[in-house]
Every structure is written in C-alpha cells, then in structure tokens.
Amino acid sequence: MAKQLDYHTIREIFTRFRDAEDAPKGELHHVNAYTLVVAVALSAQATDAGVNKATKALFKKADTPQKMLDLGEEQLIEHIKTIGLYRNKAKNVMKLSRILVEEYGGEVPNSRAALQSLPGVGRKTANVVLNMWWRHPAQAVDTHIFRVGNRTGIAPGKDVDAVERAIEDHIPADFQLHAHHWLILHGRYICVARKPKCGACLIRDLCPFEDKTL
C-alpha cells in the first residue's frame, strides 16, 4: 500500500484524467434508473460486457419493475443464465422489483439507505446508481478502484470502506462527480492487476508504484 499522496499531486492526476476524458461514463447499458439497478446488481462477479450481452434483449421486454414481474423468474433466468450466480441474482431481481412496485410506486428511490434495503443491492451498487443516474458524488469502490487507490496512493485503505473514505477526503471536490469512473477505467484498461501498462499511463511520473513495467 502506497502512502497517501498530497493534495497538489492528486489535483494534477485528476486534471490529467479530465483533460483526457472530461465526462467518463460507466459501461453498463441501461435505459432508466430501474434498468441501471438491475444491471449493476447483475454485474457482481461478472463483466460489464457479459451483463450487457445478457440484458440487451431483456431490457426490451422488461424495463420497469412491473414488466419484470410480468415476465417472471423463469423467463428472466433464460435471459441471464450466461451470468455467474444467475439463479440467486434472478431471485433478487424479482424481489426488488416487487418491493419497488409495492412500496415505491414502481420508482427507484434516490437515497442510499433505501437502495441498500433492496435485495441484492449493497453499498457499491447503491453508490453506482446514485452517481450515474442522480449525479451524486458517490464513490463505488470495486476491485479496480481498490487496486488503483492503493497502488498509486490516490486513496489507500485496508478495505473498500477505507478507500471510499479516502476518495471523499482527499480528492478535490470539483473532481468528485467523475472520480470513480476515472479510477475504474484506469484500473480496467491501464493499471491492470498482473502487468500494469505503465508505458501508456498518464500519471506514470506521479505514481509511487515501485514495480513499474516498461
């Protein structure tokens, strides 16, 4: 774990990220807040590309909680059976859809506590939805962000909660909205786990990682 970088270094890092892509977006396909919740819930231990492939036809049939209930669990399974843990995920999608219909009038709530009360929706999923749909500066820490935060010293922490707090505490406010997208994309495509692509890295000269690759 690298030491926490200073404010000026972090500002320079995110200035470079912004200059390269000023409005980064998540890669999960969705058409509304509900389909975003479902897509993020399905993405646990799965790739965004795999989820997008499975939900392409699904969301044409079921893009609201009521339509998902009408579709039924068995039909949902047929659409998502290429995704890991699909049976358990299908049960959670049906349960959360019923709760949204019965308790929220078919609308997705915009509070973290309400989102986390839904089956299959943890803090990370809630933060993704808050950030991507309602543009709250919420930080959804996944394995990529955890790795980048610790490797670079941008947001070091022993667990995902500590990394989330470090992002909130140390990344300047004007970068908070897009911070988690810049970090996740950097971790997914450049600062990868086994052999980071340091030669193509925008922040190579600012990063304290000792085992840089050529």
Side-chain angles (χ1 to χ4, degrees):
M1 183 191 301
K3 291 182 179 180
Q4 177 68 57
L5 293 177
D6 63 84
Y7 173 86
H8 296 291
T9 303
I10 290 177
R11 173 162 283 284
E12 174 61 23
I13 285 172
F14 282 91
T15 298
R16 293 183 190 183
F17 285 156
R18 183 177 60 190
D19 288 347
E21 187 172 7
D22 63 349
K25 293 178 172 61
E27 297 181 322
L28 282 172
H29 297 167
H30 59 283
V31 297
N32 53 30
Y34 172 70
T35 54
L36 178 58
V37 170
V38 173
V40 180
L42 293 176
S43 71
Q45 298 181 344
T47 65
D48 286 2
V51 173
N52 289 339
K53 186 176 181 180
T55 58
K56 184 177 181 179
L58 172 64
F59 290 159
K60 289 179 180 178
K61 294 180 179 179
D63 60 357
T64 70
Q66 186 59 58
K67 288 179 181 178
M68 189 67 76
L69 293 176
D70 293 342
L71 183 69
E73 187 173 328
E74 290 307 312
Q75 283 300 307
L76 171 58
I77 286 174
E78 285 302 306
H79 282 282
I80 67 170
K81 62 185 180 182
T82 55
I83 300 173
L85 307 175
Y86 66 91
R87 289 193 181 278
N88 189 54
K89 290 177 180 178
K91 291 183 184 300
N92 284 334
V93 167
M94 300 308 292
K95 288 177 183 177
L96 72 83
S97 297
R98 187 165 300 284
I99 290 171
L100 290 176
V101 168
E102 294 178 352
E103 298 183 20
Y104 295 97
E107 299 295 323
V108 175
N110 66 349
S111 83
R112 182 184 285 117
L115 285 166
Q116 285 189 246
S117 72
L118 299 173
V121 177
R123 186 178 180 88
K124 186 185 81 169
T125 298
N127 282 347
V128 170
V129 176
L130 290 172
N131 181 274
M132 290 180 63
W133 192 256
W134 283 288
R135 297 182 67 79
H136 293 185
Q139 307 302 332
V141 179
D142 68 351
T143 55
H144 297 298
I145 295 178
F146 184 80
R147 178 177 65 256
V148 173
N150 279 290
R151 185 181 276 173
T152 63
I154 291 172
K158 293 183 178 179
D159 54 42
V160 293
D161 291 337
V163 170
E164 182 181 332
R165 288 193 300 272
I167 292 173
E168 293 173 345
D169 290 347
H170 297 285
I171 293 175
D174 50 324
F175 295 115
Q176 286 280 333
L177 179 60
H178 295 306
H180 107 268
H181 280 131
W182 280 315
L183 291 172
I184 194 172
L185 293 172
H186 189 65
R188 184 174 290 167
Y189 297 111
I190 302 297
C191 196
V192 295
R194 294 189 178 182
K195 192 176 181 182
K197 301 172 184 177
C198 299
C201 180
L202 287 172
I203 62 170
R204 178 187 173 108
D205 58 313
L206 302 174
C207 174
F209 182 55
E210 295 180 354
D211 298 325
K212 288 188 175 74
T213 60
L214 295 175

